Amino acid sequence: MEIAVLGWGVVGGGMIKLIDEAKTPLLKQLHVKRVLIHRPEKAVDDRCTTDINEILNDPEISIVCECIGGLEPAHEYAKKALEKGKHVVTANKKMLATFASELFDLARQKDLTIGYEACVGGGIPWIANLERIKRLEPVEAFQGILNGTSNYILSQMEQKGAGFAECLKKAQELGYAESDPSDDIDGHDVCYKVVLSALTAFDQAVDPKEVPTFGIRHLTKEDFAFAKGQGRTIKLIGQGRKTAEGVSLQVLPVMVKADSLLGSVSLNFNAGKTWSKSLGPAAFVGQGAGSFPTAHAAVQDLLDILEANSPVAAFEPAENQAGDKQTFYVRSQKISVFASVTQEKVSDDAIVTKPLTIDEIGQLLKAAKDEDLFLAGIEDD
Amino acid sequence: MEIAVLGWGVVGGGMIKLIDEAKTPLLKQLHVKRVLIHRPEKAVDDRCTTDINEILNDPEISIVCECIGGLEPAHEYAKKALEKGKHVVTANKKMLATFASELFDLARQKDLTIGYEACVGGGIPWIANLERIKRLEPVEAFQGILNGTSNYILSQMEQKGAGFAECLKKAQELGYAESDPSDDIDGHDVCYKVVLSALTAFDQAVDPKEVPTFGIRHLTKEDFAFAKGQGRTIKLIGQGRKTAEGVSLQVLPVMVKADSLLGSVSLNFNAGKTWSKSLGPAAFVGQGAGSFPTAHAAVQDLLDILEANSPVAAFEPAENQAGDKQTFYVRSQKISVFASVTQEKVSDDAIVTKPLTIDEIGQLLKAAKDEDLFLAGIEDD
């Protein structure tokens, strides 16, 4: 089966290497015919082209692997590939979460597959295992550590007692964080992954903009010290849950028990946990990022298409629900705004709240207008 | 698709309930036509029969689910079902590990599937994920906490500082341990699971009798205290590894770091970890036992057969290799036998050894002839 890879970068390059050096009979059935690159002087071999039409108009190419990143032209190329009758595999969670309804509608019309295992959880077979559970029974909820960069920073802060800025700098030096790390540390990257997980698990497509999303940018050593004093650590958790009315998604730093499974997931590792009736809780842990684990996931999508074993995601647009009440930790220079919901005073500028919905705490955050505020959930005992 | 379930016990009963109350369109395609029971007065409905031939001779029945347990007649029934052209799904790790070559040869001749997801790791999709990795690249090694009973006992000893006998009694009261718990606490149950995992991961079938197998029966509070003092906890670990000559399998209590992933797997949960080149380390954690998680795994096998998506295991008989040198903890009344391999004296009757192969330590254990001896591996830092 002939494929084309768009972008010879971290993920695209990993895919090309895995396929070129195929180790198994099944993988040897795949062949990279074309690679879209941006600048002609970067051509590595004669498969490289700077002209997308050479790929789109080639009837031999059955699958287009989009590894460019960003919204455009990634979205345009994915759409055109589907229009031309080609399956699409992508590692681009932002693009796919943003244009999910349009692209999956098109794929269903054309009886094509969009493979997106590489979008969520790096090498963890997360999407495949959600699909597997769903064959048998509904997935009731999921929760995950889905961003390697922020988890690396959090685990450094925990182990070394270091400050946020110092740990971010270290992550950037190691290549775990980009020069503009906003998407990773402000939770947006996790938000896209939660949207794609929910679409898989619940058949419900929520607009990423509607998902309450809080990051770790304003986390301090003091916040961490409070968590540690409670036998907890802080993890950036994306989660989704079925509610009576629909689904409730959120992205939030959470103080989890240090000796719990999610509490033990350190460095740039990712983890995903599912709940369903007969299986109970199940968890998947692995490399959250990096060229080869992510490329491995994308190539697994190719093998599923090769084996004609890819369910086409079917879902409906859904509004996000506020979900259950939770207890929050809030640190703010304007902590008095939270007086009416305070359950326990932690320090002069930090409190633990009574149980509130995420919408209720959101209203108070708006009222506080404190750009340095830090918010975390506190996991039930 | 019509199926028959042999045995209306914990797993068989769970399967029947999941299928009778099917929640998804795919699962609704399965129908339990017959259930083999032992005593006619136990018949729950008119699907029950005490005559295996009513099942074997029914051409409508495509899959036989063996949930009887024990070696015979489970083995005889599985073999006859294959001879009659029926797929077999089983939760019986002892039977399948013991008769693997015979049964899989027969299945391959007849182009049939033997599903054994329920044999290893309870509800964890362990076998399926080993198969998934193997599509793309060789699995290099695996390691797992594969027995819920022993893990429950170990986690009680860790958390409560209680003795082995007391924790075993508690596990029996809760129904986690059988009245004769030998297979669970002496490591034999894990041994069968390691053999089946290796057969899947490495295409090599090792005779269970050849796998060095050590259990937790003689573990004391003092052994646990030593581990704790090192920031470690004790887990019963089954593992397999490719070596230059073949494969090396072993079952052994191991002192693992308390804050590692395997160290955090508590109560009756199971975990399996894999290593492969591009994916790196990946781990799967879930309910290790119980009616519904295990039944869930068996029903997933049925759905794979329904979707014609079951690779037929192909493997060769293999001898077990001694593998790499490891460091061991040994406590014995005859500790002087180990003088020549002692690296560190822990107490009057306990030592840490120099790195040795499992065969080398095995020779010394034979020489010691101490029935109360406790042996554990010490995981590298």
Side-chain angles (χ1 to χ4, degrees), chain B residues 6-37:
Chain B
L6 314 188
W8 197 312
V10 174
V11 178
M15 288 186 79
I16 294 164
K17 193 170 156 70
L18 286 178
I19 296 168
D20 285 355
E21 299 172 5
K23 295 282 187 290
T24 64
L26 191 68
L27 188 50
K28 284 183 201 225
Q29 294 178 40
L30 293 176
H31 176 240
V32 179
K33 188 177 180 192
R34 281 290 187 189
V35 183
L36 183 74
I37 59 170

Side-chain angles (χ1 to χ4, degrees), chain B residues 6 9 75 89 113 139 146 199 205 211 228 232 239 262 288 315:
Chain B
L6 314 188
H75 162 242
V89 167
T113 291
V139 176
L146 299 173
L199 173 160
V211 178
K228 273 205 158 181
R232 294 172 185 269
Q239 68 177 51
L262 291 184
F315 51 82

Side-chain angles (χ1 to χ4, degrees), chain B residues 104-303:
Chain B
F104 281 97
D105 278 351
L106 190 53
R108 279 189 294 272
Q109 281 165 30
K110 298 258 183 180
D111 202 16
L112 293 165
T113 291
I114 299 176
Y116 53 104
E117 184 66 80
C119 287
V120 191
I124 305 175
W126 173 241
I127 300 297
N129 280 289
L130 287 173
E131 293 283 6
R132 188 170 168 87
I133 295 167
K134 220 174 54 169
R135 300 195 305 184
L136 200 158
E137 63 191 359
V139 176
E140 293 164 2
F142 65 84
Q143 201 179 50
I145 293 173
L146 299 173
N147 181 273
T149 306
S150 57
N151 203 51
Y152 178 84
I153 294 170
L154 292 170
S155 104
Q156 289 293 302
M157 287 181 78
E158 184 195 25
Q159 285 166 28
K160 314 228 158 130
F164 180 82
E166 185 187 331
C167 294
L168 170 59
K169 190 155 166 270
K170 180 85 186 291
Q172 285 169 324
E173 282 165 13
L174 286 167
Y176 292 157
E178 297 179 53
S179 52
D180 178 3
S182 304
D183 262 14
D184 291 324
I185 66 176
D186 292 334
H188 303 303
D189 174 80
V190 179
C191 173
Y192 303 129
K193 292 167 175 172
V194 165
V195 166
L196 293 175
S197 301
L199 173 160
T200 314
F202 308 138
D203 300 329
Q204 305 264 292
V206 174
D207 183 336
K209 291 189 197 77
E210 281 200 13
V211 178
T213 299
F214 301 91
I216 59 170
R217 189 187 286 268
H218 302 298
L219 173 61
T220 64
K221 288 185 201 179
E222 291 68 34
D223 305 322
F224 232 114
F226 171 73
K228 273 205 158 181
Q230 312 274 317
R232 294 172 185 269
T233 187
I234 300 176
K235 296 292 182 189
L236 183 57
I237 304 278
Q239 68 177 51
R241 188 173 298 277
K242 275 198 180 155
T243 66
E245 300 80 29
V247 294
S248 171
L249 313 185
Q250 66 175 40
V251 178
L252 186 71
V254 178
M255 296 186 179
V256 301
K257 285 194 174 176
D259 62 0
S260 65
L261 180 90
L262 291 184
S264 77
V265 174
S266 61
L267 300 176
N268 60 335
F269 277 69
N270 273 201
K273 203 169 169 185
T274 62
W275 284 264
S276 64
K277 193 173 173 193
S278 70
L279 187 56
F284 308 89
V285 184
Q287 298 274 4
S291 175
F292 287 109
T294 309
H296 179 109
V299 174
Q300 290 284 9
D301 275 341
L302 297 175
L303 296 178

